[in-house]
């Protein structure tokens, strides 16, 4: 038994060393690491080293504006799904968006992320008009507004949007179908290819802990990120929302989400990886732990007033009563306390030879 454990540990450690050196692992190797907790510390430390070497010591802050919680989709896990009658819906005006953007630029944010449900009111033309205003502030802009046509993506790119976040959520065909009524994995992948064609820096990612999701399926998600050559990957634990059909499911676990994130850093060493808000919901120090296990980005909320609370994807969202200035100071303090610095540039992906 002892010999067996020793050999097994050697094997698991060898996998981490391989990932660190070659930035490759097979599906089975990824699944083995995800299914076992004996080398978690080595994994997190290696991801931290690779982050330091390829992405540097700076942490990029992106100010998040949640500009509409109106959504036509029915994603089973999501609190702003159209069938949820318990959400008070809102849509910010152009003036409100520009006001929040202006204040965020004033706090020193170099990137703003504009996120919403899939709200058809915001046509590409309406968004283009808003983007022209936001871009006058000298910031990089990321959109996270869901699935659109290639032509719409092109219009948004031409209007000045630089990046786009569209999580694949899961690459497991069957699970994808169960979670997303009237949507398809193929269509979502096509959106990611179209975003690349339109010239965006492309971010994707997955939820960890969806009902029935397996280690193999998460391993395939990571390999998909690599094959797409994504510029950003956001990984978050699934947190059940009581006003959704998944109310009574268990949800994701912080450590597993952190492991998926750390493995993503090992395989895609030079990309941008956020320490996600959902991680902080499950662990009070979650974002700092993530920054020390491969992440190099944080996305503080710059939405003001009651809107923060109403944009409720999942329960326990952090800082819903805080003002943007407080969030900025709070996160800067935490980042400097671990010996890292807040970047003052736009934080585009810096490609390195891998
Ligand atoms: N409508 C946009 C933005 C979606 S909201 C789009 O389609 O891309 C941003 C992310 O929140 C989603 O991609 C999803 O991964 C995450 N999310 C939604 N519900 C969640 C939940 N219950 N727990 C954790 N994350 C959730």
């Amino acid at each position: 038994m002892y010999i067996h454990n020793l050999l097994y540990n050697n094997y698991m450690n060898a996998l981490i060393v391989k990932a660190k050196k070659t930035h490759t692992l097979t599906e089975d190797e990824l699944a083995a690491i995800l299914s076992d907790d004996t080398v978690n510390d080595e994994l997190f430390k290696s991801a931290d080293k690779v982050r330091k070497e390829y992405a540097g010591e700076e942490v990029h802050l992106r100010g998040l504006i949640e500009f509409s919680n109106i959504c036509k989709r029915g994603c089973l896990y999501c609190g702003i799904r159209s069938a949820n009658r318990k959400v008070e819906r809102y849509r910010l005006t152009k003036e409100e968006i520009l006001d929040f953007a202006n204040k965020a630029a004033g706090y020193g944010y170099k990137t703003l992320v504009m996120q919403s449900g899939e709200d058809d009111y915001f046509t590409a033309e309406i968004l283009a008009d808003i983007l022209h205003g936001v871009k006058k502030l000298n910031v990089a802009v990321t959109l996270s507004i869901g699935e659109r046509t290639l032509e719409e993506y092109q219009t948004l790119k031409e209007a000045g949007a630089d990046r786009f976040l569209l999580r694949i959520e899961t690459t497991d065909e069957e699970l994808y179908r169960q979670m997303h009524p009237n949507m398809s994995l193929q269509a979502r992948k096509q959106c990611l290819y179209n975003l690349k064609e339109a010239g965006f820096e492309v971010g994707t990612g997955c939820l960890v802990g969806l009902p029935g999701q397996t280690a193999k399926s998460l391993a395939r998600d990571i390999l998909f990120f690599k094959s797409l050559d994504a510029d950003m990957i956001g990984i978050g634990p699934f947190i059940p929302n009581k006003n959704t059909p998944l109310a009574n499911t268990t949800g994701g676990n912080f450590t597993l989400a952190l492991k998926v994130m750390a493995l993503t850093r090992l395989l895609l060493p030079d990309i941008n990886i956020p320490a996600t808000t959902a991680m902080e919901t499950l662990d009070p120090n979650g974002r700092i732990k993530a920054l020390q296990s491969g992440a190099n980005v944080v996305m503080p909320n710059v939405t003001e007033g009651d809107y923060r609370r109403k944009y409720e994807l999942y329960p326990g969202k952090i800082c819903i009563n805080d003002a943007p200035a407080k969030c900025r100071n709070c996160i800067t303090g935490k980042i400097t306390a671990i010996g890292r610095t807040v970047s003052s540039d736009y934080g585009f992906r810096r490609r390195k030879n891998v």
Side-chain angles (χ1 to χ4, degrees):
M1 195 59 196
Y2 173 74
I3 295 285
H4 174 267
N5 284 346
L6 199 69
L7 288 176
Y8 183 72
N9 254 332
N10 279 346
Y11 168 66
M12 295 303 290
N13 272 307
L15 291 184
I16 304 288
V17 173
K18 175 186 169 189
K20 202 166 135 189
K21 284 197 178 147
T22 68
H23 310 297
T24 59
L25 284 174
T26 66
E27 181 184 319
D28 285 343
E29 290 168 341
L30 285 164
I33 298 169
L34 290 171
S35 316
D36 174 285
D37 283 326
T38 54
V39 289
N40 286 359
D41 280 350
E42 287 76 1
L43 168 61
F44 298 144
K45 280 196 192 112
S46 301
D48 194 43
K49 264 193 133 165
V50 168
R51 184 272 311 154
K52 186 172 176 179
E53 187 184 336
Y54 284 84
E57 291 286 59
E58 292 195 326
V59 176
H60 302 284
L61 298 186
R62 326 284 201 200
L64 175 67
I65 301 176
E66 299 156 331
F67 68 93
S68 167
N69 69 353
I70 296 172
C71 189
K72 65 180 178 188
R73 302 288 190 186
C75 309
L76 262 62
Y77 44 80
C78 186
I80 64 169
R81 64 200 302 273
S82 58
N84 183 7
R85 295 278 157 78
K86 298 263 169 68
V87 176
E88 289 170 61
R89 304 284 170 173
Y90 71 87
R91 181 184 281 146
L92 300 193
T93 62
K94 174 184 172 182
E95 289 66 34
E96 284 173 306
I97 297 172
L98 291 179
D99 176 40
F100 293 169
N102 192 30
K103 286 179 186 153
Y107 300 132
Y109 286 104
K110 291 287 172 193
T111 295
L112 299 180
V113 181
M114 292 170 55
Q115 190 178 79
S116 68
E118 290 207 18
D119 181 355
D120 284 339
Y121 164 81
F122 287 101
T123 59
E125 287 67 33
I126 290 181
L127 283 169
D129 177 52
I130 297 169
L131 282 166
H132 290 140
V134 177
K135 287 300 286 188
K136 290 206 182 99
L137 300 167
N138 241 329
V139 289
V141 177
T142 308
L143 292 175
S144 177
I145 59 169
E147 299 185 17
R148 299 284 176 113
T149 63
L150 173 61
E151 292 68 32
E152 289 173 286
Y153 287 152
Q154 283 163 337
T155 302
L156 296 166
K157 183 74 182 61
E158 277 154 27
D162 303 276
R163 312 187 182 117
F164 203 106
L165 299 177
L166 184 80
R167 285 186 178 172
I168 197 73
E169 316 291 3
T170 173
T171 58
D172 185 314
E173 192 98 45
E174 177 57 22
L175 185 57
Y176 190 94
R177 210 181 43 74
Q178 288 170 8
M179 293 293 117
H180 306 99
N182 305 316
M183 293 173 79
S184 88
L185 179 60
Q186 201 42 50
R188 201 148 180 101
K189 282 187 180 169
Q190 190 59 51
C191 283
L192 290 168
Y193 305 141
N194 289 348
L195 285 164
K196 286 207 133 191
E197 188 180 330
F200 283 98
E201 266 206 346
V202 176
T204 186
C206 63
L207 284 166
V208 177
L210 290 171
Q213 194 178 35
T214 61
K216 279 244 177 201
S217 152
L218 289 167
R220 284 194 289 266
D221 292 349
I222 300 170
L223 292 175
F224 171 73
F225 305 153
K226 188 156 170 91
S227 69
L228 182 71
D229 186 25
D231 302 300
M232 303 168 274
I233 293 293
I235 310 278
F238 155 57
I239 303 170
N241 182 317
K242 69 175 188 316
N243 299 319
T244 66
L246 301 185
N248 298 319
T249 56
T250 320
N253 139 315
F254 174 74
T255 304
L256 184 59
L258 201 64
K259 287 174 71 177
V260 175
M261 189 203 79
L263 286 166
T264 300
R265 170 61 73 197
L266 292 181
L267 266 63
L268 293 94
D270 64 2
I271 66 165
N272 284 320
I273 299 184
T276 57
T277 310
M279 286 195 178
E280 189 106 339
T281 297
L282 292 192
D283 182 306
N285 205 24
R287 286 182 301 177
I288 290 300
K289 287 182 185 167
L291 285 174
Q292 295 179 310
S293 308
N296 70 321
V297 172
V298 181
M299 293 164 58
N301 205 321
V302 298
T303 318
E304 293 193 30
D306 238 16
Y307 300 126
R308 272 187 197 210
R309 178 182 56 76
K310 293 180 184 167
Y311 197 85
E312 191 185 28
L313 306 175
Y314 51 81
K317 187 179 166 193
I318 59 166
C319 316
I320 48 168
N321 296 314
D322 292 341
K326 183 176 172 198
C327 289
R328 167 85 200 194
N329 289 336
C330 164
I331 196 67
T332 302
K334 289 184 181 185
I335 290 165
T336 45
I338 57 165
R340 304 265 282 275
T341 50
V342 171
S343 168
S344 54
D345 71 28
Y346 296 114
F348 285 96
R349 176 186 186 184
R350 271 185 235 126
R351 279 183 185 274
K352 296 241 170 93
N353 285 331
V354 174

